[in-house]
Amino acid sequence: MPVKIAGESLNACSGCEISLLDMGENFLKLLEVVQIVHLPLLMDSKHIENLQNAQVLELPKADIGLVSGSIKTRENLQLALAMRESCDFIIGMGTCATHGGIPALANSYTNEQIMTCCFKTDNTDETDRFPTELVPGLLESCHALDEKIKVDFYLPGCPPHPDHLFNLICALEKGEDYVLPEKSVCDNCSAQREGIGEVTNLKRPLKLPDWKDSQDLENPDQFKCFIEQGFLCMGPVTRDGCGGDKDLARCITAGMPCRGCYGPIQHQGNQKLGILNALSSNGIDIGSLPEMVSLLRFSGGHGRLRPISLKSRKHK
Ligand code: SF4
Ligand code: SF4
Ligand code: SF4
């Protein structure tokens, strides 16, 4: 009997599902041992149109449930609960599901501020009310998946690397354990590190980094650590893995600092506190950060980000 897989996308961008397709030939190998019974972004599954009035949302039973996205609307919550009910094993797929991801940046605003920004701007027609009919209501906060349902496996990444998706599903199909390493992007970065330098203020990322000898992007040991050059790099506080089986951090090999998309190294970690600590340890004045909300740009779920006044936005 093939292993049955179901998938749902909550408050998400569909990038995680594209990562499934990005497996390439491995996706075809996977289809030899699994059966996809429900995955609206990749196959024809009709249930959304009945969602508004459905008291109980029934999804096909599956052994493995892939759930991408965070939970911000009542519809997201209803789908998450239905997936938990219909799937034996839930994978939180992607950093939105594991830590709130980009959508959880909304947590630094109230719902009133968000709706005002969308529906009462200089460029929109004047309105005296926000839409309430035929749209799912907003929850007060944007939640990571495990704030609302039990999650059996966390697969972070924005999106997760296709190799990890493939390896994880294959391991589950064989009844084997699968463990992602708990190490940082820095642990796997061969940039030259010389200790605390003379740089004390962060530079605008628009400035080019200094390359040691050449711009050979396949050999990151040819350049000096971004933080030591004064560029914000989230490598010290971000879980390694974005390179998949190739094991090279994607942004670093592209000549860009890490933005933190794999979330904290340990599930409960706090990327904001961690990077402030790392910057200070490198002699960088944290007062030179232009703002601090985006230090949690991938992990603002679990109550980490809260609405703040515009006045104090820089220092929160
Ligand atoms: S984790 Fe990234 S790729 Fe996946 S749904 Fe969220 S924003 Fe999209
Ligand atoms: S801070 Fe960035 S550039 Fe420096 S070692 Fe870590 S990942 Fe590499
Ligand atoms: S280097 Fe950092 S931001 Fe870039 S893909 Fe890897 S974890 Fe994500």
Short mmCIF file of all heavy atoms in Angstrom, two decimals, residues 95 157-159 185 233-235 238-243 248-253 256-263 271 297-298, ligand 3:
data_model
loop_
_atom_site.label_atom_id
_atom_site.label_comp_id
_atom_site.label_asym_id
_atom_site.label_seq_id
_atom_site.Cartn_x
_atom_site.Cartn_y
_atom_site.Cartn_z
N THR A 95 9.07 27.68 7.12
CA THR A 95 9.24 28.51 8.31
C THR A 95 7.95 29.23 8.70
O THR A 95 7.78 29.57 9.87
CB THR A 95 10.40 29.49 8.09
OG1 THR A 95 11.54 28.74 7.65
CG2 THR A 95 10.78 30.20 9.37
N GLY A 157 12.50 26.37 6.73
CA GLY A 157 13.07 26.80 5.44
C GLY A 157 12.05 27.59 4.68
O GLY A 157 10.85 27.33 4.76
N CYS A 158 12.51 28.57 3.99
CA CYS A 158 11.59 29.43 3.24
C CYS A 158 12.05 29.52 1.78
O CYS A 158 12.63 30.49 1.37
CB CYS A 158 11.52 30.82 3.87
SG CYS A 158 10.32 31.92 3.12
N PRO A 159 11.75 28.44 1.02
CA PRO A 159 11.09 27.20 1.43
C PRO A 159 12.10 26.17 1.91
O PRO A 159 13.30 26.36 1.75
CB PRO A 159 10.45 26.72 0.10
CG PRO A 159 11.44 27.17 -0.94
CD PRO A 159 12.01 28.47 -0.45
N VAL A 185 24.10 28.36 10.37
CA VAL A 185 24.66 28.66 9.05
C VAL A 185 26.16 28.97 9.20
O VAL A 185 26.98 28.55 8.38
CB VAL A 185 23.91 29.84 8.39
CG1 VAL A 185 24.59 30.29 7.11
CG2 VAL A 185 22.46 29.42 8.08
N CYS A 233 24.33 39.83 9.07
CA CYS A 233 24.19 38.46 8.56
C CYS A 233 23.61 37.64 9.70
O CYS A 233 24.14 37.62 10.80
CB CYS A 233 25.56 37.90 8.13
SG CYS A 233 25.46 36.20 7.49
N MET A 234 22.50 36.96 9.43
CA MET A 234 21.79 36.22 10.48
C MET A 234 22.36 34.80 10.65
O MET A 234 21.80 33.98 11.39
CB MET A 234 20.30 36.14 10.14
CG MET A 234 19.58 37.47 10.09
SD MET A 234 19.44 38.28 11.70
CE MET A 234 18.09 37.36 12.42
N GLY A 235 23.49 34.53 9.98
CA GLY A 235 24.08 33.19 10.04
C GLY A 235 24.30 32.65 11.45
O GLY A 235 24.03 31.47 11.69
N THR A 238 20.82 31.26 12.81
CA THR A 238 19.89 30.63 11.86
C THR A 238 20.30 29.18 11.63
O THR A 238 21.48 28.87 11.48
CB THR A 238 19.90 31.40 10.53
OG1 THR A 238 19.48 32.73 10.78
CG2 THR A 238 18.98 30.77 9.50
N ARG A 239 19.29 28.34 11.58
CA ARG A 239 19.55 26.91 11.41
C ARG A 239 20.12 26.62 10.03
O ARG A 239 19.60 27.12 9.01
CB ARG A 239 18.24 26.15 11.61
CG ARG A 239 18.45 24.67 11.71
CD ARG A 239 17.20 24.01 12.21
NE ARG A 239 17.48 22.64 12.55
CZ ARG A 239 16.67 21.88 13.28
NH1 ARG A 239 15.57 22.39 13.76
NH2 ARG A 239 16.97 20.64 13.54
N ASP A 240 21.13 25.83 10.00
CA ASP A 240 21.74 25.45 8.73
C ASP A 240 20.85 24.42 8.02
O ASP A 240 20.04 23.76 8.65
CB ASP A 240 23.12 24.85 9.00
CG ASP A 240 23.86 24.54 7.72
OD1 ASP A 240 23.78 25.37 6.79
OD2 ASP A 240 24.49 23.48 7.64
N GLY A 241 20.99 24.33 6.72
CA GLY A 241 20.24 23.30 5.98
C GLY A 241 19.78 23.75 4.62
O GLY A 241 19.39 22.93 3.80
N CYS A 242 19.83 25.06 4.36
CA CYS A 242 19.24 25.56 3.12
C CYS A 242 19.95 25.04 1.87
O CYS A 242 19.42 25.12 0.78
CB CYS A 242 19.20 27.08 3.12
SG CYS A 242 20.82 27.84 3.23
N GLY A 243 21.17 24.51 2.05
CA GLY A 243 21.90 23.99 0.89
C GLY A 243 21.50 22.56 0.56
O GLY A 243 21.98 21.99 -0.42
N LEU A 248 25.72 23.74 1.29
CA LEU A 248 26.31 25.08 1.22
C LEU A 248 25.19 26.10 1.36
O LEU A 248 24.18 26.01 0.66
CB LEU A 248 27.01 25.29 -0.12
CG LEU A 248 28.35 24.59 -0.34
CD1 LEU A 248 28.81 24.78 -1.77
CD2 LEU A 248 29.40 25.14 0.63
N ALA A 249 25.36 27.04 2.29
CA ALA A 249 24.29 28.03 2.51
C ALA A 249 24.05 28.82 1.23
O ALA A 249 24.97 29.34 0.61
CB ALA A 249 24.69 28.95 3.65
N ARG A 250 22.79 28.88 0.84
CA ARG A 250 22.46 29.41 -0.48
C ARG A 250 22.83 30.88 -0.65
O ARG A 250 23.41 31.26 -1.66
CB ARG A 250 20.97 29.21 -0.77
CG ARG A 250 20.65 27.78 -1.14
CD ARG A 250 19.26 27.60 -1.69
NE ARG A 250 18.27 27.54 -0.63
CZ ARG A 250 17.06 27.00 -0.77
NH1 ARG A 250 16.69 26.49 -1.91
NH2 ARG A 250 16.21 26.96 0.22
N CYS A 251 22.45 31.73 0.31
CA CYS A 251 22.75 33.16 0.14
C CYS A 251 24.24 33.42 0.18
O CYS A 251 24.76 34.24 -0.58
CB CYS A 251 22.04 33.98 1.22
SG CYS A 251 20.26 33.82 1.14
N ILE A 252 24.94 32.73 1.07
CA ILE A 252 26.38 32.97 1.21
C ILE A 252 27.08 32.64 -0.11
O ILE A 252 27.92 33.41 -0.59
CB ILE A 252 26.97 32.11 2.35
CG1 ILE A 252 26.21 32.34 3.66
CG2 ILE A 252 28.46 32.42 2.52
CD1 ILE A 252 26.27 33.71 4.24
N THR A 253 26.70 31.52 -0.71
CA THR A 253 27.36 31.16 -1.98
C THR A 253 26.95 32.10 -3.11
O THR A 253 27.61 32.16 -4.14
CB THR A 253 27.04 29.70 -2.39
OG1 THR A 253 25.65 29.50 -2.32
CG2 THR A 253 27.75 28.72 -1.50
N MET A 256 25.59 36.90 -0.72
CA MET A 256 24.66 37.70 0.09
C MET A 256 24.67 37.22 1.53
O MET A 256 24.82 36.03 1.79
CB MET A 256 23.23 37.53 -0.45
CG MET A 256 22.98 38.14 -1.80
SD MET A 256 23.05 39.93 -1.75
CE MET A 256 21.63 40.30 -0.72
N PRO A 257 24.48 38.14 2.49
CA PRO A 257 24.36 37.70 3.88
C PRO A 257 23.11 36.84 4.07
O PRO A 257 22.14 36.98 3.32
CB PRO A 257 24.23 39.01 4.67
CG PRO A 257 24.64 40.10 3.74
CD PRO A 257 24.36 39.61 2.36
N CYS A 258 23.16 35.98 5.08
CA CYS A 258 21.97 35.18 5.43
C CYS A 258 20.91 36.11 6.02
O CYS A 258 21.22 36.97 6.83
CB CYS A 258 22.38 34.12 6.45
SG CYS A 258 20.99 33.23 7.18
N ARG A 259 19.65 35.91 5.62
CA ARG A 259 18.55 36.73 6.17
C ARG A 259 17.79 35.99 7.26
O ARG A 259 16.87 36.50 7.84
CB ARG A 259 17.58 37.14 5.05
CG ARG A 259 18.19 38.06 4.01
CD ARG A 259 17.50 37.94 2.67
NE ARG A 259 17.63 36.58 2.17
CZ ARG A 259 16.59 35.78 1.90
NH1 ARG A 259 15.37 36.20 2.06
NH2 ARG A 259 16.78 34.56 1.47
N GLY A 260 18.14 34.72 7.48
CA GLY A 260 17.55 34.01 8.62
C GLY A 260 16.39 33.11 8.29
O GLY A 260 15.64 32.73 9.18
N CYS A 261 16.24 32.72 7.01
CA CYS A 261 14.96 32.10 6.62
C CYS A 261 14.74 30.69 7.16
O CYS A 261 13.63 30.20 7.09
CB CYS A 261 14.80 32.13 5.10
SG CYS A 261 15.57 30.77 4.22
N TYR A 262 15.77 30.05 7.69
CA TYR A 262 15.54 28.72 8.28
C TYR A 262 15.12 28.80 9.73
O TYR A 262 14.96 27.78 10.40
CB TYR A 262 16.78 27.83 8.10
CG TYR A 262 16.61 26.84 6.96
CD1 TYR A 262 16.41 27.31 5.66
CD2 TYR A 262 16.60 25.47 7.16
CE1 TYR A 262 16.22 26.42 4.61
CE2 TYR A 262 16.41 24.57 6.12
CZ TYR A 262 16.22 25.06 4.84
OH TYR A 262 16.01 24.17 3.80
N GLY A 263 14.93 30.02 10.23
CA GLY A 263 14.48 30.17 11.61
C GLY A 263 15.60 29.87 12.60
O GLY A 263 16.74 29.61 12.22
N GLN A 271 15.66 34.51 17.45
CA GLN A 271 16.67 35.05 16.52
C GLN A 271 17.03 36.50 16.85
O GLN A 271 18.15 36.92 16.63
CB GLN A 271 16.16 34.95 15.08
CG GLN A 271 16.23 33.53 14.52
CD GLN A 271 15.77 33.44 13.09
OE1 GLN A 271 14.62 33.70 12.78
NE2 GLN A 271 16.66 33.06 12.18
N ARG A 297 11.97 38.58 11.22
CA ARG A 297 11.16 38.56 9.99
C ARG A 297 10.72 37.15 9.62
O ARG A 297 9.77 36.97 8.88
CB ARG A 297 11.88 39.21 8.81
CG ARG A 297 13.12 38.51 8.36
CD ARG A 297 13.50 38.93 6.94
NE ARG A 297 14.02 40.26 6.85
CZ ARG A 297 15.30 40.60 6.96
NH1 ARG A 297 16.19 39.66 7.23
NH2 ARG A 297 15.71 41.83 6.82
N PHE A 298 11.41 36.13 10.11
CA PHE A 298 10.98 34.76 9.82
C PHE A 298 10.45 34.03 11.06
O PHE A 298 10.02 32.90 10.95
CB PHE A 298 12.15 33.96 9.23
CG PHE A 298 12.50 34.39 7.83
CD1 PHE A 298 13.59 35.22 7.60
CD2 PHE A 298 11.73 34.00 6.75
CE1 PHE A 298 13.92 35.63 6.32
CE2 PHE A 298 12.05 34.41 5.47
CZ PHE A 298 13.14 35.23 5.25
S1 SF4 B 3 21.63 31.59 3.76
FE1 SF4 B 3 20.11 32.07 5.35
S2 SF4 B 3 18.52 33.31 4.32
FE2 SF4 B 3 19.77 32.34 2.72
S3 SF4 B 3 18.63 30.50 2.18
FE3 SF4 B 3 20.15 29.93 3.77
S4 SF4 B 3 19.09 30.12 5.75
FE4 SF4 B 3 17.86 31.19 4.19
#
